[in-house]
Amino acid sequence: MKKSVSIILALIISASAAALAGCGSKKQAEQPTPAVQSDVTSVQESNETTAEETTQEGTTAMTDEAAKYKPYAQKLLDYVGKYVDMSLYSTEENPGVGFFQFNFSPKSEIKPVMDPIVPEIELPGVVTVKLGMQYKELQALGFQNPEWDDKEVEAGHSDFYYSRIPDKQGSTIGHGLFNRTGATAKHSECVVDTFNVSVDSTGSLWNYHGITGESTIEDIVKILGTPDLKSNVLIENEFRGEIKLVYNNHDDKKMQTVFKFEYEFSTDKVTFKVLQVQNYRP
């Protein structure tokens, strides 16, 4: 009897072992082999490394180029500091691909010298252009641009181009036209919301509150005070840089007056390039 029981127990144990072995084989077959898992991980890590290296290389390239231009930008900032009290401003570095810029913003409200800055400019022939006038009024002063005069602007949109008084030296003006009518309108029905005069094309013939194309940064600061909006110096190559001074002292605080100067490093020459008055939204 004991012998029979022993035989039966041996058969049960053998069958259980076989069953367990079968289950283990099935579970293992459902999972990737260690070799396959290793290959997948290796490919994933390889991709992540490549992306990281690309990002690092891009950042390094940008930083190196910005670092190259930073001393030039600092020289421009120091030049502005001869005429503007830089202790009134917070200075921010703005490096980028192909440029380096220093922004300087007022730490607190700056009291204006002129209050307010009236947004109008006198052009040759005692012609006065003022923001808020209609384009047809500009046409009545003699400004022409036949290619654009009959163009249309969508409601709530602006268009910008140049027009001129024929046969008068220095009478070209760039202007933005804003359509406030509520429907598509021709340029003649739009208002002048930006004007732009280039010193290269107009010389010193225009006059903006005593500021002309021959004015220096020192002249502008004496007339208007120090800039009361964020201004900047910008370097895009080692030959020339740009100085931009921005004022906001108008009745309509949406407006800005911008003066742009070019600095030539080889000669230390500073040239007034552009006057722009912009963003009139009645």
Side-chain angles (χ1 to χ4, degrees):
M1 184 65 179
K2 287 182 179 180
K3 187 175 181 180
S4 299
V5 171
S6 299
I7 293 171
I8 292 171
L9 287 172
L11 290 172
I12 292 173
I13 292 170
S14 176
S16 298
L20 289 172
C23 289
S25 298
K26 185 177 180 181
K27 189 176 290 185
Q28 185 178 11
E30 291 174 348
Q31 297 175 345
T33 64
V36 171
Q37 286 179 323
S38 177
D39 291 342
V40 171
T41 303
S42 177
V43 171
Q44 186 176 12
E45 287 177 350
S46 175
N47 289 339
E48 288 175 351
T49 301
T50 302
E52 184 178 349
E53 287 174 354
T54 302
T55 302
Q56 287 177 346
E57 287 175 1
T59 302
T60 301
M62 180 187 71
T63 302
D64 289 347
E65 191 170 23
K68 174 184 175 182
Y69 293 143
K70 183 176 179 178
Y72 294 92
Q74 185 64 56
K75 185 171 183 178
L76 283 189
L77 196 64
D78 292 342
Y79 180 86
V80 175
K82 294 178 181 179
Y83 311 105
V84 175
D85 183 359
M86 298 307 294
S87 68
L88 299 175
Y89 302 87
S90 298
T91 304
E92 172 194 14
E93 295 184 5
N94 181 23
V97 178
F99 73 90
F100 189 95
Q101 182 172 287
F102 276 119
N103 298 319
F104 50 101
S105 306
K107 296 177 182 177
S108 59
E109 186 176 354
I110 294 177
K111 186 177 180 179
V113 173
M114 179 182 290
D115 190 10
I117 304 174
V118 179
E120 63 183 25
I121 182 170
E122 294 179 10
L123 292 162
V126 198
V127 172
T128 300
V129 176
K130 185 173 182 178
L131 294 197
M133 69 190 305
Q134 287 191 316
Y135 179 62
K136 60 185 175 184
E137 296 177 81
L138 197 63
Q139 290 175 304
L141 293 175
F143 285 91
Q144 298 179 19
N145 189 329
E147 183 181 350
W148 286 89
D149 285 350
D150 292 329
K151 297 290 185 180
E152 294 184 335
V153 184
E154 294 181 19
H157 287 70
S158 293
D159 207 350
F160 186 90
Y161 64 101
Y162 284 83
S163 62
R164 62 187 177 84
I165 299 177
D167 303 324
K168 287 191 178 182
Q169 183 182 4
S171 55
T172 300
I173 184 170
H175 44 79
L177 300 176
F178 179 65
N179 179 5
R180 62 179 181 181
T181 65
T184 299
K186 290 187 176 181
H187 281 174
S188 59
E189 301 303 318
C190 296
V191 297
V192 177
D193 74 337
T194 300
F195 64 72
N196 180 316
V197 288
S198 167
V199 177
D200 288 342
S201 63
T202 62
S204 60
L205 299 176
W206 53 266
N207 188 304
Y208 185 73
H209 301 290
I211 298 168
T212 71
E214 295 179 347
S215 295
T216 64
I217 291 176
E218 184 178 15
D219 295 332
I220 291 171
V221 171
K222 284 181 179 178
I223 294 171
L224 299 182
T226 56
D228 56 355
L229 282 183
K230 181 169 74 174
S231 303
N232 64 62
V233 297
L234 172 68
I235 297 296
E236 294 180 298
N237 58 63
E238 60 268 38
F239 306 108
R240 297 176 182 85
E242 179 185 270
I243 298 170
K244 184 167 73 173
L245 307 180
V246 187
Y247 292 80
N248 183 224
N249 181 29
H250 303 82
D251 281 336
D252 183 345
K253 293 303 180 182
K254 295 177 183 178
M255 292 171 52
Q256 298 179 1
T257 298
V258 181
F259 301 94
K260 294 182 181 180
F261 289 81
E262 181 182 271
Y263 187 100
E264 189 172 309
F265 288 99
S266 62
T267 61
D268 283 333
K269 183 180 179 181
V270 179
T271 306
F272 193 176
K273 301 297 289 186
V274 175
L275 161 68
Q276 184 174 44
V277 184
Q278 59 191 17
N279 297 336
Y280 180 85
R281 291 289 186 270

